[in-house]
Amino acid sequence: MKTVYKGRLITFEGSEGSGKSTQIEKLAHYLRQRKKPSLCLREPGGVVISEKIRELLLDVQNTAMSDRCETLLYMAARAQLVDEIIVPALKKGTIVLCDRFLDSTLVYQGYGNGVDLAFIKKIGDFVTRGIKPDLTFFFDIDAREGLARINRAKDRIERRSLHYHNKVREGYRQLARRSRGRIKTIVVNQNPEEIHRVVCRYVDRLLGL
Ligand code: TMP
């Protein structure tokens, strides 16, 4: 189901170090130049309550956090962001650019931690109010290479094993194969400018620019 609102939801997905945040900034700049109202958000986070949940989720001290608690906290952060910002923005006709969305929970908690995918989809439907991204970019990078690009202290999720991060990548690849219409895979072997041009082509098509 596509969103029924005037606005559009574009999400950016990928493993650690895939460069998606850079691409969001570039796309936001591109849309500003074209006088298209847009908004950049990140998950988990984007609003005060969800940023507080983000701290809990990424804090390396929280080694005891269970897989189920982790799944529900990501969902709780998303529910708040959807209700407080995403739905009102889409109603106004804004183009919402979101750094991660429900696909992240499917791959990190589902494929990565083994949480039941059907359960994630069911709760996901509840927290997103059935909103699906109109377009999703999956920036695909080798897990080891992506992790090596992180040049700050690693958070609780980034610290996980290479085996875990490989499962995350494989999860993304499976999702992308199943949703070719929505999810566009971009292999991160080109420079950021070339990738930006590819992103813009898809966005132009979506927005009829
Ligand atoms: P970020 O580093 O892209 O800001 O994302 C924060 C971390 O949270 C990243 O390691 C991916 C992870 N994550 C999940 O495990 N599940 C989710 O649902 C989301 C949104 C992020």
Side-chain angles (χ1 to χ4, degrees):
M1 186 185 78
K2 293 276 180 202
T3 54
V4 288
Y5 302 113
K6 277 193 294 173
R8 290 286 173 263
L9 175 61
I10 304 176
T11 59
F12 292 70
E13 296 282 355
S15 309
E16 318 299 330
S18 62
K20 60 189 167 44
S21 309
T22 308
Q23 291 302 325
I24 291 191
E25 280 170 30
K26 285 182 176 298
L27 180 59
H29 179 71
Y30 175 80
L31 292 172
R32 264 196 307 278
Q33 283 178 329
R34 273 152 194 77
K35 308 262 184 292
K36 290 276 170 193
S38 70
L39 183 63
C40 295
L41 300 170
R42 72 167 178 182
E43 272 223 68
V47 285
V48 174
I49 293 171
S50 309
E51 288 290 337
K52 285 186 179 165
I53 299 174
R54 179 186 178 95
E55 280 174 30
L56 273 176
L57 279 163
L58 301 185
D59 186 347
V60 293
Q61 306 291 330
N62 289 336
T63 49
M65 189 181 289
S66 76
D67 293 348
R68 293 188 302 164
C69 173
E70 178 180 302
T71 304
L72 293 175
L73 284 177
Y74 276 112
M75 290 295 193
R78 179 165 304 128
Q80 186 63 35
L81 184 66
V82 165
D83 287 349
E84 199 177 325
I85 303 276
I86 296 183
V87 166
L90 291 176
K91 279 186 181 165
K92 273 200 296 187
T94 306
I95 300 156
V96 177
L97 310 180
C98 201
D99 190 339
R100 301 192 180 281
F101 201 56
L102 184 59
D103 293 325
S104 280
T105 313
L106 283 167
V107 299
Y108 281 83
Q109 282 64 54
Y111 287 89
N113 284 345
V115 176
D116 183 50
L117 291 172
F119 173 77
I120 294 176
K121 285 181 190 158
K122 193 167 175 198
I123 302 296
D125 223 41
F126 171 72
V127 305
T128 61
R129 298 177 174 274
I131 293 171
K132 305 262 188 308
D134 297 282
L135 179 62
T136 296
F137 294 105
F138 160 43
F139 298 96
D140 189 20
I141 188 168
D142 173 73
R144 189 191 295 271
E145 203 185 308
L147 288 167
R149 286 185 177 199
I150 302 172
N151 51 11
R152 48 166 173 75
K154 290 196 170 71
D155 63 37
R156 197 177 62 85
I157 308 285
E158 289 162 349
R159 283 184 177 206
R160 289 182 176 160
S161 67
L162 183 60
H163 177 63
Y164 173 83
H165 289 286
N166 278 328
K167 283 193 286 185
V168 166
R169 183 187 189 195
E170 192 42 47
Y172 271 128
R173 290 178 146 193
Q174 285 199 25
L175 287 190
R177 273 197 295 274
R178 285 188 199 146
S179 307
R180 281 183 210 277
R182 169 176 69 91
I183 304 179
K184 308 301 176 196
T185 300
I186 300 184
V187 180
V188 184
N189 60 1
Q190 321 158 59
N191 70 47
E193 279 313 317
E194 279 166 333
I195 293 179
H196 174 59
R197 277 195 286 279
V198 176
V199 167
C200 289
R201 268 209 302 279
Y202 283 118
V203 171
D204 285 353
R205 203 178 302 159
L206 174 72
L207 303 179
L209 292 178

